[in-house]
Amino acid sequence: PPAATSSDEEDDSDASTKPIRSEKKKTPASLFQTGGDPPKEKKTKKKAPPKAAESEEETPETPQKNSNKKGKGKKSKKAKEERPPSPVIEVDNLEEFVLRPAPQGVTIKCRVTRDKKGMDRGLYPTYYLHLDNDKKVFLLAGRKRKKSKTSNYLISIDPTDLSRGGENFIGKLRSNLMGTKFTVFDNGANPDRANANWSNVRQELSAVVYETNVLGFKGPRKMTVIIPGMNADNERVPIRPRNDNDGLLMRWQNKNMDNVIELHNKAPVWNDETQSYVLNFHGRVTHASVKNFQIVHGSDPDYIVMQFGRVADDAFTMDYNYPLCAVQAFAIALSSFDGKLACE
């Protein structure tokens, strides 16, 4: 139907639907906790997460027709909104930082840039992740491997070394043959090379499942994101599958959800006025794109675990909250660029 095609340009634009108000809900800590005892107050140093997470979103926004207008009209305010000083984010040890969950109550705001220049970069662009603050601290780089049967992205903490064997290799993203399901691993060993107590075996950090809708890949996508739960000390429960039947995807398919959390993308709302699907990105996304998404927990759709959206042709903002770490969020973003799903 023609209505469907006219909207795919304008998918998930940044026009706001209604200001987000949060009633008293579960704290982020309790949403994601799966293992062990309830969080101990003194260890977690909770910063009243709902308040902190909400603070930047309390500016009431009026719906605006064009997603691109927002960026231009609100220059002075936007500079303030987008760049709150973030003394909290200290990247002293990069390797540790990118695997550590975001602190509760702090949104870590990043920018993804896509580099298509060079001989094979058209097919195999390199993606770079930086903190979106004045210092533009480099966090991660990712690129698809060339000779792999399925999509396989290497993630590195060095922008110039994207080799599998290098010491900067920090994780990878691997898809199934269809290109609809993805698994994110850290840099541990393959189960074939396990040591006696399996402590060196790679952890699965996340899995992403894309569902096609009735319009094929046109129109809003449906994403399911599966992540390990958190224990009583707000640390990620390690998931180290011994074989392919024990990974996050199989556990999710078999509804074996011990220590596993299921998240979804927030469904955009159809807006008659703009004839497009819209989501409220609070000024962080300026270009309409089917790649724009927000990931939420079913029990609290107002707590945004991660959001990703286009701000220029080859630039995207990527913001993540507790319990995600940078590697998880970046890999989820990379999965959304993948060829079989990509509909620019």
Side-chain angles (χ1 to χ4, degrees), residues 28 31 81 123 126 148-149 181 188 235 244 266 308 343:
L31 279 177
E81 239 177 64
L123 287 174
T126 305
S148 198
K149 287 199 231 9
K181 293 178 181 167
E235 291 157 354
D244 285 344
K266 196 168 187 168
F308 177 79
C343 34

Side-chain angles (χ1 to χ4, degrees), residues 19-294:
I20 288 182
R21 260 195 339 275
S22 236
E23 278 74 62
K24 267 284 189 232
K25 291 215 172 95
K26 286 181 158 189
T27 61
S30 61
L31 279 177
F32 301 103
Q33 199 185 331
T34 57
D37 312 314
K40 300 178 184 62
E41 280 306 320
K42 60 176 188 299
K43 267 198 185 149
T44 59
K45 288 216 282 279
K46 267 202 226 112
K47 299 199 195 80
K51 206 64 222 135
E54 219 185 15
S55 57
E56 58 161 334
E57 296 179 352
E58 276 167 4
T59 47
E61 294 194 28
T62 46
Q64 278 178 325
K65 273 191 205 143
N66 181 338
S67 59
N68 296 342
K69 256 188 221 144
K70 182 157 288 186
K72 298 194 182 82
K74 291 194 183 172
K75 254 304 173 342
S76 58
K77 182 161 172 235
K78 195 170 162 218
K80 267 200 211 84
E81 239 177 64
E82 276 198 27
R83 305 202 185 286
S86 47
V88 221
I89 301 170
E90 283 299 315
V91 186
D92 32 7
N93 172 341
L94 187 53
E95 185 169 356
E96 191 191 299
F97 176 83
V98 294
L99 289 166
R100 191 169 60 223
Q104 290 178 47
V106 177
T107 299
I108 298 188
K109 300 185 173 185
C110 307
R111 196 175 176 91
V112 175
T113 45
R114 172 171 56 182
D115 177 6
K116 292 178 168 171
K117 296 181 197 67
M119 274 296 283
D120 53 3
R121 291 256 175 106
L123 287 174
Y124 301 98
T126 305
Y127 298 91
Y128 299 102
L129 182 71
H130 290 82
L131 282 180
D132 193 7
N133 58 13
D134 299 332
K135 291 202 186 112
K136 305 250 179 301
V137 181
F138 167 80
L139 297 177
L140 293 165
R143 193 170 75 215
K144 196 187 245 190
R145 294 179 76 178
K146 291 183 189 132
K147 296 189 171 63
S148 198
K149 287 199 231 9
T150 61
S151 294
N152 201 326
Y153 292 78
L154 287 185
I155 299 172
S156 167
I157 49 173
D158 181 327
T160 57
D161 171 22
L162 282 142
S163 62
R164 174 72 177 84
E167 57 195 39
N168 298 305
F169 168 68
I170 190 96
K172 72 172 189 176
L173 168 76
R174 190 179 72 194
S175 86
N176 64 351
L177 281 167
M178 293 279 296
T180 52
K181 293 178 181 167
F182 295 80
T183 304
V184 183
F185 301 95
D186 72 0
N187 55 1
N190 188 308
D192 307 342
R193 294 189 284 281
N195 59 13
N197 64 358
W198 287 81
S199 60
N200 68 333
V201 170
R202 63 189 181 197
Q203 292 186 40
E204 286 195 10
L205 298 177
S206 173
V208 190
V209 179
Y210 289 88
E211 220 178 287
T212 50
N213 54 28
V214 285
L215 308 167
F217 282 115
K218 298 270 185 249
R221 299 183 188 157
K222 280 193 168 161
M223 295 167 71
T224 300
V225 174
I226 304 129
I227 57 171
M230 307 299 275
N231 67 16
D233 295 332
N234 296 329
E235 291 157 354
R236 204 167 30 244
V237 176
I239 302 245
R240 290 195 169 89
R242 302 190 167 209
N243 55 52
D244 285 344
N245 297 322
D246 182 31
L248 288 170
L249 284 168
M250 285 308 285
R251 293 181 188 205
W252 174 75
Q253 274 164 262
N254 299 331
K255 306 215 176 352
N256 164 18
M257 300 298 283
D258 294 345
N259 292 328
V260 177
I261 301 276
E262 178 181 324
L263 307 168
H264 291 276
N265 65 317
K266 196 168 187 168
V269 184
W270 178 257
N271 178 329
D272 273 339
E273 203 179 336
T274 59
Q275 288 292 297
S276 62
Y277 289 100
V278 296
L279 273 175
N280 187 352
F281 285 89
H282 299 282
R284 289 287 291 160
V285 174
T286 53
H287 285 46
S289 164
V290 287
K291 291 200 174 76
N292 300 351
F293 63 82
Q294 290 177 325

